[in-house]
Amino acid sequence: MGDALQIVAEKGDLAHVALFLWASAASGLLVWSLREQAASNKRFQDFVEEIARLTSLLDG
């Protein structure tokens, strides 16, 4: 990666490096956000199932 960065810096094309870093960070944040949302959804589903189980025990 160092050689590639040096070549880009010599060409004076640092805007593309900044854009690449920004896009990489944004993509990583999106992946993290989707994982957290999926985990939250799973926890909520488990909660709903537990409430349904307790309700069925109390009604039974």
Side-chain angles (χ1 to χ4, degrees):
M1 182 74 178
D3 292 337
L5 188 57
Q6 183 179 1
I7 291 170
V8 170
E10 287 173 358
K11 293 174 81 176
D13 203 11
L14 294 177
H16 283 99
V17 172
L19 182 61
F20 171 75
L21 293 174
W22 177 81
S24 297
S27 297
L29 185 60
L30 176 63
V31 168
W32 174 80
S33 174
L34 290 174
R35 284 183 183 167
E36 289 297 314
Q37 187 176 8
S40 176
N41 189 33
K42 170 91 171 83
R43 288 189 299 268
F44 183 73
Q45 184 64 32
D46 292 344
F47 172 74
V48 169
E49 289 172 358
E50 186 67 18
I51 294 295
R53 187 182 70 78
L54 289 173
T55 301
S56 68
L57 287 175
L58 292 173
D59 289 342

